[in-house]
Amino acid sequence: MGEKVYEKPTLEQLRKELKRENNKKEYRRVLRNTLIVVVVVAAFAVLVSSFFITVLKVTGDSMTPTLETGQIVIAQNSSSFEPGELIAFYYNNKVLVKRVLGSPGDKINIDSDGNVTVNGIALDEPYASEKSLEPTDISFPYQVPENRYFVLGDHRSASIDSRSSVVGCVTKEQLIGKVIFRVFPFDSFGTIK
């Protein structure tokens, strides 16, 4: 029986093997660091979207011409709103976007032509289309209850909003935040008025 003979590796073979092992270690280190960065960025994005901003896709015609179906907007989480600002809020497991017209304690009146007055001052509403009193089942003048906001859609004849007891005034618990920015489509990219 023949005895196995082992040859000593040459210096060049040892260098190649060492280089290969070092490359494997470097690859593992880069992969590990990349995965750590991806996880941290994803966690940061989830935190930001949970506590500071919410991304929403618009559906329906109640906010035309300001917002159109299919547009993507960003709502900044907030708990106080000024009249005229757009807000997003939860209603029956859906997210609705409407315009704040009355704050807690304000007296709202809408005439038969759909013109809105708040605390006796007529609002200039260049954003509103097809002004209408309907659909409504509440009587005007109407005082906004404490801790609630009176909201209307910009396309008044097609919007179900605070004029209807079905939606009513928005409570602070329903609020998501101010709709401040449009991200899609890109030709409409920018702040929302």
Side-chain angles (χ1 to χ4, degrees):
M1 283 212 203
E3 198 175 300
K4 288 187 179 178
V5 178
Y6 293 101
E7 290 183 30
K8 281 186 172 181
T10 66
L11 189 57
E12 187 59 34
Q13 289 172 326
L14 286 173
R15 282 187 183 135
K16 284 182 180 178
E17 184 61 24
L18 183 61
K19 185 176 180 182
R20 192 175 71 79
E21 286 298 317
N22 285 339
N23 284 345
K24 282 179 18 183
K25 286 179 186 176
E26 180 66 15
Y27 175 78
R28 285 187 200 122
R29 188 184 67 75
V30 168
L31 182 62
R32 184 190 71 229
N33 290 346
T34 302
L35 288 174
I36 289 171
V37 168
V38 167
V39 168
V40 168
V41 167
F44 181 73
V46 168
L47 285 173
V48 166
S49 69
S50 296
F51 296 110
F52 302 110
I53 63 168
T54 305
V55 178
L56 308 167
K57 184 173 184 181
V58 176
T59 58
D61 296 327
S62 71
M63 289 305 293
T64 57
T66 307
L67 298 175
E68 305 280 337
T69 295
Q71 291 182 338
I72 297 175
V73 297
I74 293 177
Q76 174 187 8
N77 296 5
S78 180
S79 60
S80 64
F81 306 94
E82 297 295 320
E85 292 181 327
L86 297 182
I87 65 169
F89 59 95
Y90 294 108
Y91 172 75
N92 277 352
N93 296 324
K94 293 183 195 172
V95 175
L96 300 180
V97 174
K98 305 289 180 189
R99 191 175 297 274
V100 173
L101 292 186
S103 297
D106 285 347
K107 289 188 177 155
I108 309 291
N109 197 13
I110 303 176
D111 67 20
S112 59
D113 293 327
N115 297 310
V116 180
T117 58
V118 178
N119 298 324
I121 300 169
L123 297 182
D124 177 29
E125 299 182 282
Y127 45 77
S129 66
E130 295 186 34
K131 288 184 178 182
S132 173
L133 173 60
E134 299 300 327
T136 188
D137 63 356
I138 63 172
S139 56
F140 290 99
Y142 176 84
Q143 184 163 11
V144 181
E146 285 302 310
N147 297 317
R148 295 178 184 255
Y149 292 93
F150 189 88
V151 297
L152 294 178
D154 286 356
H155 189 182
R156 302 282 161 80
S157 63
S159 179
I160 303 295
D161 43 41
S162 292
R163 296 172 293 174
S164 168
S165 59
V166 173
V167 173
C169 289
V170 178
T171 66
K172 290 193 176 194
E173 291 78 26
Q174 292 173 276
L175 294 173
I176 295 171
K178 298 176 193 178
V179 177
I180 57 169
F181 206 79
R182 184 179 5 247
V183 257
F184 185 82
F186 300 120
D187 61 342
S188 301
F189 186 86
T191 57
I192 300 172
K193 302 277 184 201

